[in-house]
């Protein structure tokens, strides 16, 4: 009797499971090749990409834009939202910019997602081929403003995983005016001498997690600019590059502050800075608070630990040489390794707004196997555990 009942039951269960698997596979997929994209590295595939996007964006069901293997030449791509549903943007190929840098360099953006609410971008390589643009800038020629490689502006619920970004003209990845963004296992590469090629730049955004990744570039590996809140950064390999920075802040008088930032379990190799807070030496209502830098390894870093509130290149626009940005509640803990300069720790705070609540805990930074030194001005806080170099706090 029991057998007779359970047999139809098993059939029904199987049908349900089959239906569920099948329906999740049935995500509409918009393959860019179907709309004319060619993975030959030569055919301009800009329009087919935009067509695939607009169809996916209009889909009521969760939809996919799919880029198969191959090399696709694309000019500026602006992917506008809002979309009706979640979009998966899956890249198995490589996107390259035209070799003439003017082609994307005038608009400021190469690949831009704007006002998109739920999006997962995964895999793939984007190569902006920035070398010509950098040399134009270095030669002081007449150059376009330069394009950021991949940007998310006014987006929410973003996941970017496994992307490789090469040789951006300008910044590689930007997150502006966005929230709930996860960036996982990113690989970024540009030469150490390439100008302004920040790895990831965050501004006016909240809830940004960057976990895993290797960033080697010519400017900051990660820069957290004004209005960055609730930021978590872990397991990043940075170098070469200018380190992980909060700033530059205090560019303007009315500026949003930066708060609740954690940088942990990361390694800096041959970078100009390790962890840095940098503010212009001019009036501002900005602030930096609740920041933790911990569990970090420095390998041959010029300035492993640095707060610089006297940033004023060429002495222009800094009338009183004193920053209005208030820095408070910053912890540096368990930071070990080597400095290439004798001053391994520099905390140079504003004369008019001293740094407060600075905590130094378990720091050991050496200079060519010799003892290192520190430079501290206008800093208040406390020290615990073994802190080398000494003399601060
Ligand atoms: C600080 O940021 C983390 C990481 O984004 C977040 O989980 C946490 O809730 C934030 N804390 C506050 C008090 O907002």
């Amino acid at each position: 009797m029991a057998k007779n009942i359970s047999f139809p039951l098993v059939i029904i269960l199987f049908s349900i499971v089959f239906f569920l698997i099948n329906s999740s596979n049935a995500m509409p997929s918009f393959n860019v090749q179907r709309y004319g994209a060619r993975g030959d590295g030569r055919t301009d595939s800009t329009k087919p990409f935009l067509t695939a996007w607009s169809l996916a964006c209009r889909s009521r069901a969760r939809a996919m834009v799919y880029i198969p293997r191959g090399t696709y030449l694309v000019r500026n791509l602006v992917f506008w939202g809002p979309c009706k549903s979640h979009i998966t943007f899956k890249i198995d190929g490589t996107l390259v910019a035209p070799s003439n840098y003017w082609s994307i360099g005038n608009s400021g953006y190469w690949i831009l997602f704007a006002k998109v609410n739920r999006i997962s971008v995964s895999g793939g390589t984007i190569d902006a081929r920035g070398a010509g643009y950098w040399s134009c800038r270095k030669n002081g020629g007449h150059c376009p403003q330069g394009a950021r490689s991949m940007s998310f502006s006014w987006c929410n619920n973003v996941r970017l995983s496994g992307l490789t970004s090469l040789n951006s003209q300008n910044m590689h990845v930007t997150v502006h005016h966005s929230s709930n963004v996860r960036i996982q296992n990113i690989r970024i590469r540009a030469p150490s001498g390439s100008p302004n090629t920040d790895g990831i730049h965050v501004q006016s955004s909240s809830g940004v997690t960057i976990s895993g990744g290797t960033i080697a570039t010519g400017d900051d590996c990660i820069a957290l600019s004004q209005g960055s809140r609730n930021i978590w950064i872990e397991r990043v390999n940075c170098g070469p590059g200018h380190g992980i920075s909060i700033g530059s802040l205090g560019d303007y008088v009315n500026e949003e502050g930066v708060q609740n930032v954690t940088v942990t379990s990361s390694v800096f190799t041959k970078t100009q800075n390790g962890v840095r807070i940098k503010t212009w030496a001019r009036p501002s209502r900005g602030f930096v608070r609740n920041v933790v830098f911990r569990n970090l390894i420095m390998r041959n870093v010029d300035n492993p630990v640095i707060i610089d509130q006297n940033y004023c290149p060429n002495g222009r626009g800094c009338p009183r040489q004193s920053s209005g940005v208030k820095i408070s509640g910053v912890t540096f803990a368990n930071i070990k390794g080597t400095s290439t300069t004798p001053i391994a720790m520099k905390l140079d705070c504003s004369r008019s707004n001293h740094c407060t609540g600075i905590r130094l805990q378990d720091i050991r930074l050496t200079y060519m196997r010799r003892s290192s030194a520190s430079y501290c001005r206008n800093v208040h806080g406390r020290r615990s555990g073994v802190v080398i170099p000494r003399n601060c706090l």
Side-chain angles (χ1 to χ4, degrees):
M1 192 69 186
K3 246 181 190 165
N4 289 344
I5 293 168
S6 65
F7 186 66
L9 207 63
V10 165
I11 298 280
I12 289 166
L13 280 175
F14 259 105
S15 320
I16 290 171
V17 168
F18 184 76
F19 174 78
L20 285 176
I21 288 172
N22 230 20
S23 63
S24 66
N25 274 347
M27 181 193 321
S29 173
F30 300 90
N31 182 331
V32 292
Q33 288 189 349
R34 206 190 306 157
Y35 308 100
R38 298 268 299 272
D40 60 7
R42 284 181 291 126
T43 308
D44 186 334
S45 297
T46 308
K47 277 223 178 97
F49 273 65
L50 293 174
T51 305
W53 173 265
S54 68
L55 292 170
C57 191
R58 270 186 259 146
S59 164
R60 291 184 177 280
R62 190 182 166 130
M64 183 192 288
V65 172
Y66 181 58
I67 296 131
R69 280 164 169 275
T71 301
Y72 301 85
L73 181 70
V74 289
R75 291 173 286 118
N76 302 90
L77 291 170
V78 182
F79 299 121
W80 281 105
C83 298
K84 291 227 167 75
S85 186
H86 183 290
I87 308 273
T88 299
F89 196 97
K90 185 161 167 41
I91 314 173
D92 281 338
T94 298
L95 277 56
V96 296
S99 51
N100 180 350
Y101 55 80
W102 282 96
S103 169
I104 62 164
N106 260 332
S107 76
Y109 297 91
W110 181 27
I111 302 162
L112 169 64
F113 295 91
K115 301 190 174 173
V116 182
N117 270 320
R118 284 163 292 170
I119 176 139
S120 310
V121 179
S122 69
T125 299
I126 59 173
D127 183 353
R129 307 207 269 195
Y133 176 70
W134 309 326
S135 55
C136 176
R137 296 228 350 215
K138 278 182 190 159
N139 298 333
H142 172 52
C143 317
Q145 65 176 112
R148 298 150 179 196
S149 280
M150 183 175 280
S151 299
F152 297 88
S153 294
W154 298 282
C155 290
N156 302 309
N157 309 315
V158 175
R159 186 168 165 166
L160 172 62
S161 60
L163 181 82
T164 299
S165 175
L166 306 174
N167 301 325
S168 57
Q169 287 190 346
N170 206 307
M171 299 165 180
H172 285 267
V173 172
T174 71
V175 175
H176 292 178
H177 306 280
S178 294
S179 67
N180 191 17
V181 177
R182 286 181 163 271
I183 299 178
Q184 295 166 317
N185 301 324
I186 197 160
R187 285 179 293 270
I188 288 176
R189 205 167 66 229
S192 60
S194 56
N196 300 112
T197 51
D198 280 347
I200 302 174
H201 187 270
V202 179
Q203 186 171 321
S204 306
S205 294
S206 156
V208 180
T209 302
I210 300 167
S211 60
T214 301
I215 304 177
T217 193
D219 205 319
D220 292 336
C221 288
I222 300 174
L224 305 174
S225 184
Q226 58 157 308
S228 299
R229 300 183 311 279
N230 306 341
I231 311 291
W232 186 273
I233 298 169
E234 64 176 16
R235 290 182 292 108
V236 170
N237 282 305
C238 166
H242 292 185
I244 296 183
S245 298
I246 294 178
S248 306
L249 300 179
D251 217 348
Y252 306 100
V253 171
N254 286 308
E255 214 181 66
E256 300 170 272
V258 171
Q259 60 183 320
N260 185 18
V261 174
T262 300
V263 178
T264 185
S265 310
S266 293
V267 179
F268 299 78
T269 308
K270 293 185 178 162
T271 49
Q272 184 195 71
N273 309 288
V275 285
R276 168 168 69 162
I277 300 175
K278 175 171 141 186
T279 78
W280 284 86
R282 46 165 101 126
S284 174
R285 282 195 260 278
F287 60 82
V288 176
R289 58 186 175 229
N290 301 338
V291 175
V292 178
F293 297 113
R294 68 163 184 245
N295 307 337
L296 307 175
I297 294 173
M298 306 286 168
R299 294 185 182 135
N300 298 320
V301 172
D302 298 348
N303 308 292
V305 169
I306 177 165
I307 296 178
D308 176 9
Q309 292 211 266
N310 284 296
Y311 181 62
C312 192
N314 312 319
R316 282 203 307 261
C318 310
R320 288 193 297 278
Q321 287 290 328
S322 157
S323 174
V325 177
K326 291 170 191 64
I327 297 177
S328 63
V330 180
T331 297
F332 298 93
N334 189 24
I335 301 180
K336 308 274 156 77
T338 52
S339 171
T340 63
T341 65
I343 307 286
M345 183 155 61
K346 181 175 177 183
L347 306 178
D348 183 8
C349 294
S350 165
R351 204 175 51 210
S352 52
N353 296 284
H354 292 190
C355 296
T356 58
I358 305 299
R359 285 192 58 189
L360 302 175
Q361 187 189 334
D362 301 320
I363 295 177
R364 188 184 291 268
L365 293 165
T366 58
Y367 165 57
M368 306 192 16
R369 295 204 190 88
R370 283 177 277 146
S371 55
S372 55
S374 59
Y375 173 95
C376 294
R377 210 164 54 157
N378 309 323
V379 189
H380 310 276
R382 65 196 165 89
R383 192 173 66 172
S384 57
V386 175
V387 175
I388 299 168
R390 298 175 190 284
N391 301 330
C392 271
L393 304 173

